[in-house]
Amino acid sequence: MPDKIGSDSPKPRAPRRSVPRRPRPRDRGEFIGDGGKWVATWSLRLLLFAAALYVVGWVVGKMWVVALPVSLAVIVSTVLWPIAGWLHRHRVPASLASLAALTVAIGAFAFLIASIVPSIARDVPELAEQAERGIISIQEWFAGPPLNIEPEQFDEYVQAAATILQESSDRIASGVFVGLGAATSIIITLILSLVLTFFFLKDGLRFMPWFLRSTGGTGARHVAEVLTRQWKTLAGFIRAQAIVSFVDAFFIWIGLMVMNVPLANALAVITFIAGFVPIIGAFVAGGLAVLVALVANGPINALIVLGIIVAVQQLESNILQPILQSRHMNLHPVVILLSVTAGARLFGIVGAFLAVPVAAMVAVAVRYIGEVLDERAREEREQYEEETHDEEEAVESG
């Protein structure tokens, strides 16, 4: 009788599990190679990024005669748009609304000029005489102990300076013609900026729909959102800076009037205009006011004026500016300082004025890109978690 089936037959072997092969430990040379690859990759990316920035800067420099009026027109439009927009909403024709807003702006500028011209015409001759007396007193101080410089030596210095000026007459003449050319360029730029501002205010509501129709695609939505945010940021920055500059100029004007400093009205207007160039503008305007006080009223008066200016600027920078600009700018002071320095180095005073608005708009674009990337990362994470959960449920049910 046969044995029971399978009594002596070998038991079936369980299938061998495939053990995943672990990567071998890397040595020091491989770590260095990987680090070198990372450094080389990012160095190439930075070089390409720097080259792109250089090309953009070169194009802007070549097209500066067009880029400058457009930039100024956009900034002025953000200031005047509340007036033009209010007129638009009250059924005023677009051309008439734009013309009315420009008329208000030109009238305000003419009022500022008219308010400072009489004081300049009245005080400058006397200030020049006081400066001459101050130079004479300095000359007398140099002539006394311990320096004991004779007046004849001063005459020699003056004669040497006159000789240098005479030898440099050609360069001075060319500089005069360059100055005349610059003045002509300024006039053309201002006229072109006014014309562009008129059309921006007149047809501004049509730009965004036209842009969306012309570009199309999913990218147009992102670009439209970025442009809208940049417009709001620029408008908020200009209005907040105007308020800050006005407060600065008003309190400094009161201090100058109390201390009986000449050209108080003109210095207040200069302080207001210089306030649109953060950090550097306040320093230059304050230094000019202290210099006028020193020439006109002496060192004690100048020190008091300096104390008033420092106190007002501390009030503005520590209290007023953070409250008004934190919602619109959100830029670190170091970024502002570097932007102003770079703008002044590349494009002069106008570059220093435009540096912070440009930096703010770039920051808006960077923040929006970060928001889009964070949103995509969140969506992919949620999708991954959902797929993982479905796979676990399928394994448990199977």
Side-chain angles (χ1 to χ4, degrees):
M1 187 172 179
D3 296 335
K4 292 182 179 179
I5 298 175
S7 59
D8 294 331
S9 61
K11 295 181 179 180
R13 294 181 179 179
R16 294 184 62 184
R17 285 186 172 180
S18 60
V19 180
R21 296 182 60 186
R22 297 181 180 178
R24 65 176 179 83
R26 292 181 295 173
D27 58 15
R28 187 170 184 268
E30 291 176 323
F31 280 116
I32 294 176
D34 291 341
K37 291 179 183 178
W38 184 87
V39 172
T41 301
W42 278 102
S43 298
L44 181 59
R45 292 175 180 176
L46 291 176
L47 285 175
L48 292 175
F49 183 71
L53 287 180
Y54 177 80
V55 171
V56 171
W58 181 82
V59 172
V60 171
K62 291 297 182 181
M63 300 297 294
W64 186 243
V65 67
V66 175
L68 178 58
V70 171
S71 302
L72 294 177
V74 170
I75 291 176
V76 175
S77 298
T78 61
V79 178
L80 299 181
W81 179 250
I83 301 174
W86 183 84
L87 294 175
H88 278 302
R89 290 190 297 271
H90 286 77
R91 305 295 182 182
V92 177
S95 300
L96 186 59
S98 303
L99 186 61
L102 277 176
T103 303
V104 171
I106 295 173
F109 180 75
F111 174 77
L112 286 178
I113 298 300
S115 65
I116 65 175
V117 167
S119 63
I120 293 176
R122 181 183 66 251
D123 295 335
V124 164
E126 182 180 356
L127 192 62
E129 294 179 1
Q130 292 173 338
E132 184 179 357
R133 290 196 297 268
I135 293 174
I136 294 174
S137 63
I138 293 175
Q139 184 176 359
E140 293 175 352
W141 182 80
F142 276 109
L147 299 178
N148 297 321
I149 298 178
E150 297 296 332
E152 290 78 8
Q153 292 177 287
F154 281 102
D155 295 337
E156 293 177 2
Y157 298 150
V158 172
Q159 185 63 33
T163 303
I164 294 174
L165 290 176
Q166 187 175 2
E167 293 175 354
S168 305
S169 58
D170 294 337
R171 286 182 295 174
I172 294 173
S174 63
V176 170
F177 287 113
V178 170
L180 291 175
T184 304
S185 177
I186 290 173
I187 294 174
I188 294 174
T189 300
L190 290 177
I191 294 175
L192 184 57
S193 299
L194 290 176
V195 174
L196 290 175
T197 302
F198 172 80
F199 284 108
F200 288 168
L201 294 175
K202 174 178 174 291
D203 301 323
L205 294 175
R206 305 176 185 174
F207 287 156
M208 191 61 69
W210 170 83
F211 176 80
L212 294 176
R213 289 194 307 268
S214 301
T215 55
T218 57
R221 177 177 60 85
H222 296 297
V223 176
E225 179 65 22
V226 170
L227 292 177
T228 302
R229 293 189 183 189
Q230 288 177 337
W231 174 268
K232 292 180 180 178
T233 299
L234 181 60
F237 163 72
I238 296 297
R239 292 165 193 163
Q241 194 63 40
I243 295 174
V244 171
S245 299
F246 176 78
V247 172
D248 254 1
F250 178 73
F251 284 105
I252 289 176
W253 174 76
I254 291 178
L256 295 177
M257 294 295 291
V258 171
M259 299 306 299
N260 196 25
V261 177
L263 303 176
N265 293 339
L267 291 172
V269 173
I270 292 173
T271 301
F272 174 77
I273 296 174
F276 288 91
V277 182
I279 302 175
I280 297 178
F283 176 78
V284 173
L288 182 61
V290 172
L291 180 61
V292 172
L294 176 64
V295 172
N297 300 334
I300 303 299
N301 190 282
L303 288 175
I304 297 175
V305 170
L306 177 62
I308 293 173
I309 293 174
V310 171
V312 171
Q313 291 181 354
Q314 288 298 314
L315 174 67
E316 168 254 318
S317 60
N318 294 321
I319 298 177
L320 186 61
Q321 196 168 20
I323 293 175
L324 292 177
Q325 292 188 350
S326 60
R327 298 176 300 171
H328 306 290
M329 294 287 292
N330 195 19
L331 291 178
H332 195 275
V334 173
V335 176
I336 295 176
L337 180 59
L338 293 178
S339 301
V340 172
T341 304
R345 175 66 179 84
L346 295 175
F347 302 107
I349 297 176
V350 177
F353 169 70
L354 296 176
V356 178
V358 171
M361 289 190 289
V362 171
V364 168
V366 172
R367 292 191 196 105
Y368 181 77
I369 293 173
E371 291 178 7
V372 172
L373 294 178
D374 291 339
E375 180 66 20
R376 290 183 179 178
R378 185 184 63 81
E379 291 176 356
E380 290 189 3
R381 186 171 59 253
E382 291 178 352
Q383 183 179 0
Y384 173 77
E385 292 175 354
E386 184 179 353
E387 292 177 354
T388 303
H389 180 69
D390 292 342
E391 291 177 358
E392 291 176 353
E393 287 184 349
V395 171
E396 291 177 358
S397 62

